Amino acid sequence: MSEESVVERGVAQGSAMGGAVLLVTVGVLELLQGLSAISKDEVIVTGVDYTYQFDLTAWGWTHLVLGAIVTAAGIALFTGATWARGGAMVVCAISILVNFLWLPYYPMWAITIIALNAVVIWAVSTWHPDRDRAARPYRPAR
């Protein structure tokens, strides 16, 4: 095994764990965004004429539930389970869509969450834990 492949695996595994941390962070940000919308915070623009206009409370509950799901997916991703990787990518894609629809209400926050979700999708999709386990030799405990 070459030194270069060991470094590549380490970077991929590190980016996946970084992706898990980012996913939990995105989930917490979504929760806070939902709480802010439910409490009708003055930071959120409410007088927007928009095709996908919902009541601010409905948007708040949408973000609150999505934030809880994203946070749970991030916690599951720490286990390294294959289903958690797929679930994280699906949840991030849904979060990107919801935040795209949320753009007129709070643009900078939505753009930030969209960017973080894109980084998480990249980090999770470049990690291959099965290949990493197969390449590592078995070393019994002493």
Side-chain angles (χ1 to χ4, degrees), residues 16-28:
M17 286 298 114
V21 169
L22 273 178
L23 195 58
V24 171
T25 303
V26 167
V28 170

Side-chain angles (χ1 to χ4, degrees), residues 22 89 106 120 140:
L22 273 178
M89 286 189 273
Y106 203 170
V120 169

Side-chain angles (χ1 to χ4, degrees), residues 6-87:
V6 171
V7 170
E8 287 175 0
R9 277 198 331 266
V11 168
Q13 187 174 6
S15 67
M17 286 298 114
V21 169
L22 273 178
L23 195 58
V24 171
T25 303
V26 167
V28 170
L29 291 175
E30 289 270 1
L31 284 167
L32 293 174
Q33 186 173 356
L35 289 174
S36 178
I38 289 170
S39 68
K40 294 182 177 33
D41 198 357
E42 294 179 7
V43 178
I44 298 170
V45 179
T46 56
V48 177
D49 289 331
Y50 188 51
T51 305
Y52 304 107
Q53 186 173 5
F54 293 134
D55 180 43
L56 197 55
T57 305
W59 273 117
W61 282 106
T62 301
H63 285 291
L64 197 66
V65 169
L66 184 62
I69 293 169
V70 169
T71 303
I75 291 170
L77 194 58
F78 277 112
T79 64
T82 305
W83 68 267
R85 291 177 58 219

